[in-house]
Amino acid sequence: MREANQLQNTGAWFNDRTGKLTASRMAAAMSYLKAKKDEAPKEASERRKLKIEILAERLTGNIVPKYVTQEMQWGIDQEPAAKEAFTAKTGLAITDLGFVDHPTIDLCGASPDGLIESTHELVEVKCPSTATMLSWLMEAAQDKTWVPEEYKPQMALQSACIGGIPVWFCAFDPRLPEKNRLLVRKFVPTPEYIQEIEAHAVRFLGEIEAMFEQLSLGVE
């Protein structure tokens, strides 16, 4: 079995991403409440919380600690096996990646789970609960291009950081029968969708910058 991604979850990796909007948090940065007619949408609590967390990281230089749930740890532990299963199915070898800054948006970047150097494509690995995996399998059976909507912003920002390239979505659950353990789909974000994600990122980071400037002036 491969070792886990040795370029992530290290001190250098945490330093690289401290105070930045990362791809894994892009969906939260786009989270708004449903607006009534003729009203501007209001940000969801998770979006506000994320702004405060990133602001705290900028002011202190320290990463905000995250509680790792049992399911999250399961995903971390199973990632190497998921990559092995992906390579066995597709014949595509995966190279681990660390943090990659966005080429034009400051304080923004991504940590893709891997790069397929032979085809210049990325890989995003998810090892969900069995119930979630079964739900995904049923959705994918109806649509050969389906990937979960909640991860499209993450994968689009990853793609944007490395030239707009495709991203393989790889879901894995070894607890299921062998024929149901792996779900592989290729996500190819359009230039228009990438531009939309980037616009959300710029807006979100601009709001944090305004908060930072306000605190720099002090509060009476």
Side-chain angles (χ1 to χ4, degrees):
M1 180 180 293
R2 291 169 50 112
E3 294 182 353
N5 191 335
Q6 296 299 299
L7 299 178
Q8 297 185 20
N9 298 306
T10 63
W13 178 77
F14 282 115
N15 287 337
D16 284 344
R17 70 199 303 271
T18 299
K20 298 178 181 178
L21 172 60
T22 62
S24 61
R25 302 193 281 188
M26 192 63 228
M30 297 170 59
S31 180
Y32 290 89
L33 300 174
K34 186 176 181 180
K36 296 180 180 179
K37 186 177 180 180
D38 300 325
E39 287 187 2
K42 297 180 180 179
E43 68 179 354
S45 60
E46 62 178 327
R47 188 178 188 273
R48 175 70 178 180
K49 180 181 177 182
L50 178 58
K51 286 196 297 187
I52 296 298
E53 286 182 358
I54 295 177
L55 181 62
E57 290 178 356
R58 288 197 196 174
L59 288 168
T60 65
N62 298 319
I63 196 82
V64 173
K66 303 293 190 306
Y67 175 71
V68 178
T69 66
Q70 186 174 359
E71 283 193 357
M72 291 168 65
Q73 188 61 51
W74 164 263
I76 293 169
D77 294 342
Q78 295 304 314
E79 182 179 317
K83 290 179 176 179
E84 282 191 349
F86 174 89
T87 297
K89 181 178 178 66
T90 65
L92 300 172
I94 300 173
T95 299
D96 289 337
L97 288 178
F99 186 81
V100 181
D101 285 303
H102 190 282
T104 60
I105 302 175
D106 290 337
L107 300 173
C108 181
S111 300
D113 288 325
L115 171 69
I116 303 169
E117 294 181 330
S118 60
T119 59
H120 198 50
E121 298 169 329
L122 296 172
V123 177
E124 179 59 28
V125 175
K126 302 297 180 186
C127 300
S129 68
T130 297
T132 296
M133 184 68 174
L134 291 174
S135 175
W136 289 354
L137 289 170
M138 296 301 295
E139 292 279 1
Q142 304 300 316
D143 183 353
K144 299 302 181 183
T145 64
W146 179 88
V147 295
E149 287 292 328
E150 62 264 36
Y151 295 119
K152 286 183 178 179
Q154 177 184 8
M155 292 187 289
L157 185 53
Q158 290 172 344
S159 176
C161 290
I162 311 183
I165 64 178
V167 184
W168 285 94
F169 176 79
C170 171
F172 179 72
D173 185 354
R175 296 163 293 198
L176 288 171
E178 186 171 355
K179 63 181 179 181
N180 303 126
R181 290 178 183 174
L182 183 69
L183 172 62
V184 173
R185 289 287 188 271
K186 185 186 291 189
F187 176 58
V188 185
T190 64
E192 293 77 17
Y193 185 61
I194 288 178
Q195 289 172 7
E196 178 187 346
I197 297 300
E198 290 176 326
H200 276 284
V202 169
R203 184 182 306 117
F204 182 82
L205 290 164
E207 292 173 19
I208 295 176
E209 185 63 27
M211 296 165 70
F212 183 85
E213 291 178 0
Q214 181 180 15
L215 288 174
S216 298
L217 295 173
V219 178
E220 297 294 336

